Amino acid sequence: MWKIGDVEIDNRVVVAPMAGVSNAAFRTIVKEQGAGLVVCEMISDKALLFHNPKTLKMLHIEPEEYPLSIQILGGETKTMVEAAKYIAKNTDAAIIDINMGCPVPKVTNNESGSKFLKNPDHIYEVVSQVVDAVDKPVTVKMRCGWDKAHYYPVETALAAQKAGAKMIAMHGRTREQMYRGQADWNILKKVREALSIPFVANGDIRTPIDAKNALEITGADAVMVGRAALGNPWVIHQMVHYLETGEMLADPSPAEKISQAIDHLNRLIQLKGEEVAVKEFRKLSSYYLKGLPGSAKYKETLHTQVEAIPMIQLLKQCGSEAQERLDLRQYQLNHKNEE
Ligand SMILES: Cc1cc2nc3c(=O)[nH]c(=O)nc-3n(C[C@H](O)[C@H](O)[C@H](O)COP(=O)(O)O)c2cc1C
């Protein structure tokens, strides 16, 4: 157990915020898989303050998600402070996180996301004002730099700490790298050593062994896992279990994977209605099908679906075919051994 401010976090596996993914449907699933902390997808400060209906819906939280962190995105102190106050007043979020890592030009052109990494003074200003405005712990999620010429991982993290941040999560890539190359866990270790507040390591943590190695190499309090949990929420349970016991749990069967995928779709329907949910689940279905033998042809058809029932039927067919292929492979293998 560790703490962010006075919020207790049960274990050392945090699920990363992912725009278009980390809504209540996904978050409740990974929470059931044992995530110590889940973070909401980024919410634009200005969209929130304009009461954009889609943005307000993003604030929907289920009670079982506690402790949840809501992430805000923006570049101006005034609107970030107002957005944080709005969240503190109107939601059950336990933690307010500030996005200082998003690399997308639409975001960085507005002085927000990873643009902060060029200017530790700007980090200090925004974080300190948000910290003063709310009585919930404020945390920062950042990358380790903008590019090679603007690379201040320790300075930016220290600016956030000095401003009163209660935890920092750092992705070991620069903005320039986007998702290329490898996340640098060695720089995360240097940042960890410079900080006195809790620190969470992020980037390329895909397996239980990665989680253990990243914790050992960086000395972080926890790991943050993003892409590895897409269509693969069990990896969170596998990581938590491995870190606690050293035992590696087996991957789920195709039937279990498909049943989780259908459950995810149903939760999305509850949250957003069938039309939007089916559209959003097209892409997510590919993640669930990854690695299932024979799934390639289903992926294309799934991407054209507009209704839930045919989508669910296709998922089930794909699961049965994958199981048949696996059984056949196993039979052939056993048979070969007998010869
Ligand atoms: C689809 C997607 C959406 C993302 N959205 C956000 C976001 O809203 N806020 C944020 O701070 N990071 C966001 N990220 C970055 C992740 O939180 C994480 O830092 C990054 O994926 C590296 O971790 P990983 O190697 O475990 O995926 C996003 C990443 C992906 C793949």
Coordinates of all heavy atoms in Angstrom, one line a residue, residues 16-19 21 41-42 71 99 141 171 173 179 202-205 224-227, ligand 1:
A16 N -3.1 3.6 -17.1 CA -2.9 4.9 -17.6 C -4.1 5.5 -18.2 O -5.0 4.8 -18.7 CB -1.8 4.8 -18.8
P17 N -4.2 6.8 -18.3 CA -5.3 7.5 -19.0 C -5.1 7.3 -20.5 O -4.0 7.5 -21.0 CB -5.1 9.0 -18.6 CG -3.7 9.1 -18.3 CD -3.2 7.8 -17.7
M18 N -6.2 6.9 -21.2 CA -6.1 6.8 -22.6 C -7.3 7.4 -23.2 O -8.5 6.9 -23.0 CB -5.9 5.3 -23.0 CG -4.5 4.8 -22.7 SD -4.3 3.1 -23.3 CE -5.1 2.2 -22.0
A19 N -7.1 8.5 -24.0 CA -8.3 9.2 -24.6 C -9.0 8.2 -25.6 O -8.4 7.4 -26.3 CB -7.7 10.4 -25.4
V21 N -10.6 5.6 -24.7 CA -10.6 4.3 -24.1 C -11.0 4.4 -22.6 O -11.9 3.6 -22.2 CB -9.2 3.6 -24.2 CG1 -9.2 2.2 -23.5 CG2 -8.7 3.5 -25.7
E41 N -9.7 9.3 -19.0 CA -9.1 9.9 -20.2 C -9.1 11.5 -20.0 O -9.8 12.0 -19.3 CB -9.9 9.6 -21.4 CG -11.4 10.0 -21.3 CD -12.3 9.4 -22.4 OE1 -11.8 9.2 -23.5 OE2 -13.4 9.0 -22.1
M42 N -8.2 12.1 -20.8 CA -8.0 13.6 -20.5 C -9.2 14.4 -20.9 O -10.0 14.0 -21.8 CB -6.8 14.1 -21.4 CG -7.0 13.9 -22.9 SD -5.4 14.4 -23.7 CE -5.9 14.2 -25.4
Q71 N -8.2 13.4 -15.1 CA -7.1 14.2 -15.7 C -7.6 15.4 -16.5 O -8.5 15.2 -17.3 CB -6.3 13.3 -16.6 CG -5.1 14.1 -17.2 CD -4.3 13.3 -18.2 OE1 -4.7 13.1 -19.3 NE2 -3.1 12.8 -17.9
N99 N -2.4 16.9 -17.3 CA -1.7 16.3 -18.4 C -0.6 17.2 -18.9 O -0.9 18.4 -19.3 CB -2.8 16.1 -19.5 CG -2.2 15.5 -20.8 OD1 -1.1 15.8 -21.2 ND2 -2.9 14.5 -21.4
K141 N 1.1 14.1 -14.9 CA 1.6 13.1 -15.7 C 2.3 13.8 -16.9 O 1.8 14.6 -17.6 CB 0.4 12.2 -16.3 CG 0.9 11.3 -17.4 CD 0.1 10.0 -17.5 CE 0.6 9.1 -18.5 NZ 0.5 9.6 -19.9
H171 N 6.3 9.2 -18.4 CA 6.5 8.3 -19.6 C 7.9 8.6 -20.1 O 8.3 9.7 -20.4 CB 5.4 8.6 -20.6 CG 5.5 7.9 -21.9 ND1 4.8 8.2 -23.0 CD2 6.3 6.8 -22.2 CE1 5.1 7.4 -24.0 NE2 6.0 6.5 -23.5
R173 N 9.6 8.7 -22.6 CA 9.9 9.2 -24.0 C 9.7 10.7 -24.1 O 9.0 11.3 -23.3 CB 8.9 8.5 -25.0 CG 9.1 7.1 -25.4 CD 8.2 6.7 -26.5 NE 8.4 5.3 -26.9 CZ 7.9 4.3 -26.3 NH1 7.1 4.5 -25.3 NH2 8.2 3.1 -26.7
Y179 N 5.7 7.7 -30.1 CA 5.7 6.3 -29.5 C 6.9 5.5 -30.1 O 6.9 4.3 -30.0 CB 4.4 5.6 -29.7 CG 3.3 6.2 -28.8 CD1 2.5 7.2 -29.2 CD2 3.2 5.7 -27.5 CE1 1.6 7.8 -28.3 CE2 2.3 6.2 -26.7 CZ 1.5 7.3 -27.1 OH 0.6 7.8 -26.2
N202 N 6.3 4.9 -16.3 CA 5.4 4.6 -17.4 C 6.2 4.4 -18.7 O 7.2 5.2 -18.9 CB 4.3 5.7 -17.5 CG 3.4 5.6 -18.7 OD1 3.4 6.5 -19.6 ND2 2.8 4.4 -18.9
G203 N 5.7 3.5 -19.5 CA 6.3 3.3 -20.9 C 6.8 1.9 -21.1 O 7.7 1.5 -20.4
D204 N 6.1 1.2 -22.0 CA 6.5 -0.1 -22.4 C 6.5 -1.2 -21.3 O 7.3 -2.1 -21.3 CB 8.0 0.0 -23.0 CG 8.0 0.8 -24.3 OD1 6.9 1.1 -24.8 OD2 9.1 1.3 -24.7
I205 N 5.6 -1.0 -20.4 CA 5.5 -2.0 -19.3 C 4.3 -2.9 -19.8 O 3.1 -2.5 -19.8 CB 5.2 -1.4 -18.0 CG1 6.5 -0.6 -17.6 CG2 4.9 -2.5 -16.9 CD1 6.2 0.5 -16.6
M224 N 2.8 2.4 -14.3 CA 1.5 2.8 -15.0 C 1.5 2.0 -16.4 O 2.5 2.1 -17.1 CB 1.5 4.3 -15.2 CG 0.3 4.8 -16.0 SD 0.4 6.6 -16.2 CE -0.5 7.1 -14.7
V225 N 0.4 1.4 -16.6 CA 0.3 0.5 -17.8 C -0.8 1.0 -18.7 O -2.0 1.2 -18.3 CB -0.1 -0.9 -17.4 CG1 -0.2 -1.9 -18.6 CG2 0.9 -1.4 -16.4
G226 N -0.5 1.3 -20.0 CA -1.4 1.8 -21.0 C -1.8 0.7 -22.0 O -2.6 -0.1 -21.8
R227 N -1.0 0.8 -23.1 CA -1.4 0.0 -24.3 C -1.5 -1.5 -24.0 O -2.3 -2.2 -24.6 CB -0.4 0.3 -25.4 CG -0.5 1.6 -26.0 CD 0.7 2.0 -26.9 NE 1.9 2.1 -26.0 CZ 3.1 2.3 -26.5 NH1 3.3 2.3 -27.8 NH2 4.1 2.3 -25.7
Ligands
LIG1 C1 -4.9 5.5 -27.3 C2 -4.1 6.3 -26.3 C3 -4.6 7.4 -25.7 C4 -3.9 8.1 -24.7 N1 -4.5 9.2 -24.1 C5 -3.8 9.8 -23.0 C6 -4.5 10.7 -22.2 O1 -5.7 11.0 -22.4 N2 -3.8 11.3 -21.2 C7 -2.5 11.0 -21.0 O2 -1.8 11.5 -20.1 N3 -1.8 10.1 -21.7 C8 -2.5 9.4 -22.7 N4 -1.9 8.4 -23.4 C9 -0.5 8.0 -23.1 C10 -0.6 6.9 -22.1 O3 -1.2 7.2 -20.9 C11 0.9 6.3 -21.8 O4 1.6 7.4 -21.2 C12 1.6 5.8 -23.0 O5 0.7 5.0 -23.8 C13 2.8 5.0 -22.6 O6 2.5 3.9 -21.8 P1 2.4 2.4 -22.4 O7 3.7 2.1 -23.0 O8 2.1 1.6 -21.2 O9 1.3 2.4 -23.4 C14 -2.6 7.7 -24.4 C15 -2.0 6.6 -25.1 C16 -2.8 5.9 -26.0 C17 -2.1 4.7 -26.6

